[in-house]
Amino acid sequence: MLVLLALTIGSAVATYLLCWVVYKLAMRFEWYPAVRDRDVHTTPKPRLGGAAMYIVVLAALFVASFIPFFDLVYFDVGRMWAIVGAATIIIVVGVVDDLVDLDWMTKLAGQLVAALLLAWQGVAIASLPIGGSLTVGSPAMSIAMTVLAVVLVMNAVNFIDGLDGLVAGVAIIANGVFLLYSYVLSEVAGQTGRFTLGALLSAIVVGVCLGFLPHNWNPSRMFMGDGGALLVGMLMATSAVSVTGEVDPRTISSEEFLPAFLPIIIPFAVLVVPLLDFSLAVFRRLLAGKSPFSADRKHLHHRLLDMGHTQRRAALVVYAWTAVIAVGALLGFSVQPPWIALAFVVIGGVICSLVTIAPISTRKRAERAAQRRAEAGETADVDDPLDRHGQERADDVRVASSPAVRRPHSPLARTRPPHPEDTE
């Protein structure tokens, strides 16, 4: 475990330093796009964090190839080159999109090619627990399921990339939990060793996201962009898919059915928030007759902002939900009796729910207080907290239709920039 920890720390330090260099170069040579109407930020910022993360990922994979503990991981050279090739395709497509805004069909084509490359070289879903036993599907079914899973996870991660620090934080939590899971899986599922491809990729993703997060924490100085979000999603999907091939079907008895099924459950558990947001977005856009990849301002993190959360609080709320579900899934696998995991999820869910809806209660109290002051005869000179909130948080349409009542000399009378409308 110390080897994986050292690899994580090294990746974090390298990513932090390289992101700083990339940021300085991008600002000096103006390598950043103009601010779009749907962006959260109001001043131009580089979106090249993903390029720095990609370089560190390659460097970490290169360093790991010289560590004897990972000899079995690098035994299949074709599989490792497929990961490098897929990462390269994704970062090229993502960075180009960050600079010139590619159409969704071009981006999807690049994602499909990357996923097919992984599946073709053996990074594929090798088995599924069906009907009480571990059933190995046909090669064609394995490739189809792998492509679907990789593309789904990549887009799910990319869809939540709308607030400072959101993707990096969620990835740290999810991959941290998955790293622990993949490391201890050998005790119950017949793995050949603890140093697996899933553990290696999870450690690297945690490291690069830890190194990038200080640059992206609100107020951020740079973004990972589509290139970084898609890269993180691809590595997370690859890590999860590789675990299914590391379970020996001959070691799975009927009593160990749950451990056999967990390689499929846990990746979805740790990604439940991105996957939920992705599913809702696709369903919403298809009902409206739009492309599932078209932009809008109705993602879960946008709804948190509309409820009254700041960017930091909204990100922390998503972190909390991710941690509760991911850790709960891990506890269900590693702790007995099962009610401990269930109690953790229930109590954590209640706390997260209260924190999520807290701004609504605050706004209701402010509204009632403002109404009582108005009934008492205080009108134009009343500093209404709800009006102040609307002035600070509402988008252009709501501000135009419901202007805040304020004194001419009040700080609220100053013109504020438009409210953001969509992701980075």
Side-chain angles (χ1 to χ4, degrees):
M1 194 65 177
L2 291 178
V3 174
L4 292 170
L5 181 60
L7 192 62
T8 298
I9 296 174
S11 299
V13 173
T15 302
Y16 178 83
L17 296 175
L18 188 56
C19 282
W20 182 260
V21 173
V22 170
Y23 168 73
K24 289 297 185 180
L25 291 174
M27 296 305 294
R28 179 177 180 180
F29 296 103
E30 298 184 355
W31 294 339
Y32 47 78
V35 179
R36 302 166 298 187
D37 290 339
R38 67 177 188 267
D39 286 331
V40 167
H41 57 288
T42 56
T43 58
K45 297 180 183 181
R47 297 177 184 168
L48 298 177
M53 297 165 71
Y54 164 76
I55 294 173
V56 175
V57 167
L58 295 189
L61 290 174
F62 178 74
V63 171
S65 67
F66 293 97
I67 301 176
F69 294 106
F70 295 109
D71 284 347
L72 287 177
V73 174
Y74 285 87
F75 181 78
D76 187 348
V77 179
R79 185 173 65 166
M80 299 308 299
W81 279 113
I83 295 173
V84 172
T88 303
I89 293 171
I90 288 302
I91 200 64
V92 169
V93 172
V95 170
V96 172
D97 179 56
D98 290 327
L99 297 176
V100 300
D101 275 336
L102 295 175
D103 63 272
W104 69 269
M105 293 185 65
T106 302
K107 291 188 288 185
L108 181 60
Q111 295 168 22
L112 290 172
V113 171
L116 281 170
L117 177 61
L118 290 171
W120 176 53
Q121 288 297 323
V123 186
I125 296 176
S127 55
L128 286 173
I130 300 174
S133 62
L134 202 66
T135 302
V136 179
S138 66
M141 181 181 297
S142 175
I143 291 175
M145 290 188 301
T146 300
V147 171
L148 177 62
V150 172
V151 173
L152 175 64
V153 173
M154 279 194 291
N155 283 283
V157 172
N158 191 35
F159 271 37
I160 67 167
D161 186 22
L163 296 179
D164 291 343
L166 188 56
V167 167
V170 169
I172 290 169
I173 296 170
N175 284 277
V177 170
F178 198 78
L179 173 60
L180 293 175
Y181 167 68
S182 61
Y183 187 78
V184 303
L185 183 62
S186 59
E187 296 182 2
V188 293
Q191 288 180 312
T192 55
R194 291 178 182 267
F195 293 91
T196 62
L197 179 60
L200 173 62
L201 294 180
S202 295
I204 293 174
V205 172
V206 171
V208 295
C209 289
L210 278 172
F212 175 73
L213 187 57
H215 298 280
N216 191 232
W217 186 247
N218 183 260
S220 64
R221 65 169 62 99
M222 71 184 305
F223 304 129
M224 67 171 64
D226 280 7
L230 291 173
L231 176 66
V232 169
M234 189 276 290
L235 292 174
M236 293 175 69
T238 303
S239 176
V241 166
S242 69
V243 169
T244 67
E246 291 162 357
V247 178
D248 186 354
R250 295 169 298 181
T251 66
I252 302 299
S253 64
S254 58
E255 291 79 13
E256 294 174 326
F257 176 67
L258 181 59
F261 199 69
L262 280 173
I264 307 301
I265 294 178
I266 287 188
F268 285 92
V270 299
L271 285 169
V272 65
V273 174
L275 290 172
L276 176 61
D277 189 28
F278 174 81
S279 302
L280 292 175
V282 170
F283 183 71
R284 178 177 66 247
R285 292 165 185 174
L286 290 177
L287 282 182
K290 299 180 180 179
S291 162
F293 297 95
S294 61
D296 61 25
R297 195 187 176 279
K298 296 182 180 179
H299 290 288
L300 294 178
H301 51 272
H302 291 131
R303 298 182 185 276
L304 290 173
L305 293 177
D306 291 340
M307 290 170 62
H309 289 284
T310 63
Q311 280 204 51
R312 289 186 181 183
R313 287 204 302 265
L316 292 173
V317 167
V318 178
Y319 292 175
W321 279 109
T322 302
V324 166
I325 298 172
V327 174
L330 183 63
L331 291 176
F333 166 63
S334 58
V335 176
Q336 294 295 331
W339 65 263
I340 296 177
L342 179 61
F344 176 84
V345 173
V346 171
I347 295 173
V350 170
I351 295 174
C352 288
S353 298
L354 293 176
V355 174
T356 301
I357 65 175
I360 297 179
S361 301
T362 301
R363 290 170 62 182
K364 289 294 184 181
R365 289 195 298 269
E367 183 180 16
R368 287 194 294 267
Q371 290 173 345
R372 286 194 295 269
R373 289 195 295 268
E375 292 172 356
E378 303 178 35
T379 55
D381 290 333
V382 173
D383 179 18
D384 188 340
L386 192 60
D387 284 341
R388 182 169 64 252
H389 175 81
Q391 178 69 7
E392 294 175 348
R393 296 291 173 194
D395 57 25
D396 293 342
V397 175
R398 287 190 296 165
V399 168
S401 60
S402 301
V405 178
R406 52 192 181 274
R407 304 177 193 172
H409 63 276
S410 169
L412 297 178
R414 293 177 294 185
T415 302
R416 300 182 62 88
H419 189 68
E421 293 188 356
D422 198 16
T423 60
E424 297 168 353

